[in-house]
Amino acid sequence: MSRLPAVRALIAHERPCGDGAKALGAVVEAATRAPDPGTPHTVAQARAAYAVVEVLDWAEVPDGMSPGVAGMLADYVVDEARYLSSSDDATGPAVTAEQAAPDTRGWTAYGRFLAPGEAHADFEYRDQVSGAETHTDRLIEEVARDPEAFAILYDAERAYFAHYLERLTDRGGDPDFRPEGGTSRDAYTSTATTWPDNDLQDIAERIGALMKHRAAHTRDGVIPDVVAFDKAVARHTRGSYRAASRQVTSRPPMGDIAGRPVSGPLRGEPTDGRHQLLTVLDAWAEARDVPEARASAMRRIVDNAYVRGVWLKY
């Protein structure tokens, strides 16, 4: 935390050099992202990601820097999707793989299906000494005005959605859930679907929020031509992401989730996030023969969360 002023001096500039701050975006990615596929994030990289989000809070991110910042956020898609608000209960800006590992009941506060050996940025951490805290939602809102950055974030969230679904059981539950035993966090009775429902809500709400930012930036004139913006987003979007037709047991690092191969071209209206989500969900449920009651419940959860993301005021 003592190095935050140095990070701020390095990357927070109102008047960047003539490249539009592309070099600053490259610095952010080099410091925070895994260098190769299959490589988990280190604690140092996760701490750097926290620092970048903290020092860019309320900042005007230069256009050339936005894709690099979006690439960093995409590389931490699991950590970014679980962010709700700052908390004094978080232990630090990043946690080790051991700290994030599931307990004997298969539960961890840092998400489901985590890669072994990977550190995680805890964007909910608030430092009481320095007053530092992060707001990934505000940073996403800022960079989403750039079509390339928007496409990077949209791809990452949709890739995470497919990644998550294909690791659930045929009944839409967490395969790692262990109901036996008891801990102090068991203030209520959880089931194999409790945390998947929460996680799917978070992902759908993030995609809804992207559409909210697009509409708000258009209304405010930040996006002067929404048709041109959408065409640029479509050019930068990698494609569609469908969940595998059989349950997947691998646990790849976060960078591999965002960078997973596409299933094909994006079909339908690209900025209709509800259609993109529900199409993937329905195809997964049909392929896995998920009971209709469970599939319908998941459909409602995703749909409601998406709408909430579109309308929710931060």
Side-chain angles (χ1 to χ4, degrees), residues 154 207 271-279 303 306-307:
Y154 192 27
I207 292 177
T271 53
D272 184 353
R274 169 188 275 155
H275 171 77
Q276 300 301 335
L277 284 166
L278 295 181
T279 299
D303 196 25
Y306 175 80
V307 173

Side-chain angles (χ1 to χ4, degrees), residues 41-306:
H41 292 113
T42 66
V43 173
Q45 289 169 334
R47 286 173 176 163
Y50 177 95
V52 170
V53 177
E54 202 284 333
V55 302
L56 292 180
D57 193 24
W58 294 110
E60 184 175 333
V61 180
D63 291 341
M65 190 180 182
S66 291
V69 173
M72 178 203 74
L73 290 166
D75 225 50
Y76 291 82
V77 64
V78 176
D79 299 338
E80 175 270 313
R82 65 172 285 269
Y83 169 83
L84 295 175
S85 61
S86 297
S87 172
D88 291 329
D89 295 330
T91 59
V95 295
T96 66
E98 291 75 20
Q99 290 172 308
D103 62 17
T104 57
R105 298 179 65 244
W107 188 91
T108 171
Y110 297 95
R112 263 41 62 197
F113 320 128
L114 303 184
E118 181 157 57
H120 289 265
D122 193 343
F123 295 119
E124 294 193 343
Y125 175 68
R126 176 165 49 205
D127 186 68
Q128 295 183 352
V129 176
S130 66
E133 58 182 292
T134 61
H135 301 91
T136 57
D137 42 17
R138 288 207 294 250
L139 184 56
I140 289 171
E141 179 180 9
E142 170 66 17
V143 302
R145 59 188 169 78
D146 177 87
E148 182 178 358
F150 186 100
I152 290 170
L153 294 168
Y154 192 27
D155 275 345
E157 297 291 355
R158 289 183 297 110
Y160 184 30
F161 186 68
H163 164 93
Y164 198 101
L165 286 176
E166 65 193 12
R167 282 159 178 78
L168 297 177
T169 67
D170 291 344
R171 302 189 69 82
D174 179 1
D176 298 326
F177 175 75
R178 300 291 180 269
E180 68 274 5
T183 67
S184 59
R185 69 175 63 92
D186 288 330
Y188 62 93
T189 301
S190 61
T191 69
T193 61
T194 300
W195 288 103
D197 286 352
N198 288 342
D199 293 337
L200 292 173
Q201 283 179 20
D202 292 342
I203 299 169
E205 194 169 295
R206 286 306 202 197
I207 292 177
L210 280 174
M211 302 311 157
K212 176 186 69 175
H213 299 327
R214 166 182 168 273
H217 288 322
T218 301
R219 182 191 63 229
D220 297 340
V222 177
I223 297 176
D225 186 339
V226 71
V227 174
F229 179 87
D230 289 350
K231 289 181 178 178
V233 169
R235 288 196 304 271
H236 289 294
T237 297
R238 296 174 60 223
S240 64
Y241 303 89
R242 297 299 179 98
S245 58
R246 295 184 179 182
Q247 186 177 1
V248 178
T249 59
S250 62
R251 302 289 186 262
M254 288 182 284
D256 286 21
I257 297 173
R260 70 181 275 152
V262 298
S263 304
L266 197 63
R267 300 185 183 277
E269 180 61 39
T271 53
D272 184 353
R274 169 188 275 155
H275 171 77
Q276 300 301 335
L277 284 166
L278 295 181
T279 299
V280 172
L281 176 61
D282 289 344
W284 165 82
E286 181 179 358
R288 297 281 295 277
D289 198 22
V290 178
E292 179 55 33
R294 175 58 179 154
S296 295
M298 295 173 72
R299 197 176 295 115
R300 280 195 307 275
I301 288 167
V302 169
D303 196 25
N304 290 342
Y306 175 80

Side-chain angles (χ1 to χ4, degrees), residues 28-39:
V28 166
E29 292 194 271
T32 60
R33 298 186 65 177
D36 300 297
T39 305

